[in-house]
Amino acid sequence: MLNKLESLLAKTELQLTLEQKQQLIAYVDMLNKWNKAYNLTSVRDPEQMLVRHIMDSIVVNPFLHGTRFIDVGTGPGLPGIPLAIVRPDSHFTLLDSLGKRVCFLRQVQHELGLNNIEPVQSRVEEFIPEPPFDGVISRAFASLQDMLSWCSHLPKPLEGRFYALKGVLPAEELSQLPTGVVLDTVIPLQVAELDEQRHLVILKSN
């Protein structure tokens, strides 16, 4: 698994320590083990998890600005846990409404010694941020409209950003942004060994 991860990382500009690589692999091991009972992800093969979960998450790392982030609808910790491993100086609140997922996240936090994550069980619209976040991140969570509707109270006014990890560019969703929110930028992403479209949509308040 370490060789596989290193071959994937070699196709990026990310520079990780051996400890970070080992943490990523330990996370995949836990995801694979817990998946059998908890059904956390439809991806069953650990090597595919490296591509579809680890690389697909950390590819957005260079484009995040700030140090306090919330991963809404994090599920089993994606993209929050891989990003927390590669950004040890940032803090990630991992929000999910399902208890079994949050239970898994707490176990990951304990076993991997991740001091920069905070798993929280809550519906996103009921969660009160103190203070607001630099960035609100979502991956396969909802439409842009739903994300903005449910998460509008989470980022810092003006300088806070919404980061939506998308597959095919959601042109129709982008054409229907609500008043007060504008498109900052769209970044096409390349994920090693993944022959599918990926885009990072960054939105901001105006």
Side-chain angles (χ1 to χ4, degrees), residues 2 4 9-10 23 25 37 39 48 51 53 66 71 77 91 104 116 124 133-134 137 139 147 161 167 172 177 188 190:
L2 182 59
K4 176 69 173 178
L9 288 168
Q23 284 179 315
I25 290 167
N39 200 27
Q48 276 300 302
V51 175
H53 291 332
D71 177 9
H91 187 275
F104 171 70
N116 62 333
V124 64
F133 294 94
D134 297 316
I137 303 172
R139 176 181 186 259
M147 179 190 183
R161 294 288 183 271
E172 189 173 340
L177 294 177
Q190 291 282 275

Side-chain angles (χ1 to χ4, degrees), residues 17 26 48 57 82 89:
T17 65
Q48 276 300 302
S57 294
D89 295 332

Side-chain angles (χ1 to χ4, degrees), residues 63-135:
F63 310 109
L64 302 181
H65 296 285
T67 57
R68 292 187 68 255
F69 300 93
I70 181 166
D71 177 9
V72 293
T74 187
L78 297 164
I81 285 176
L83 285 170
I85 290 170
V86 303
R87 290 177 81 90
D89 295 332
S90 293
H91 187 275
F92 291 82
T93 297
L94 308 178
L95 194 74
D96 203 275
S97 60
L98 206 59
K100 69 178 183 180
R101 292 180 188 144
V102 176
C103 177
F104 171 70
L105 296 173
R106 290 190 177 125
Q107 190 62 28
V108 171
Q109 180 181 31
H110 172 70
E111 288 194 26
L112 272 56
L114 293 177
N115 299 320
N116 62 333
I117 66 169
E118 181 187 1
V120 176
Q121 184 180 353
S122 173
R123 292 172 59 86
V124 64
E125 57 268 40
E126 295 168 0
F127 179 73
I128 307 301
E130 273 303 323
F133 294 94
D134 297 316

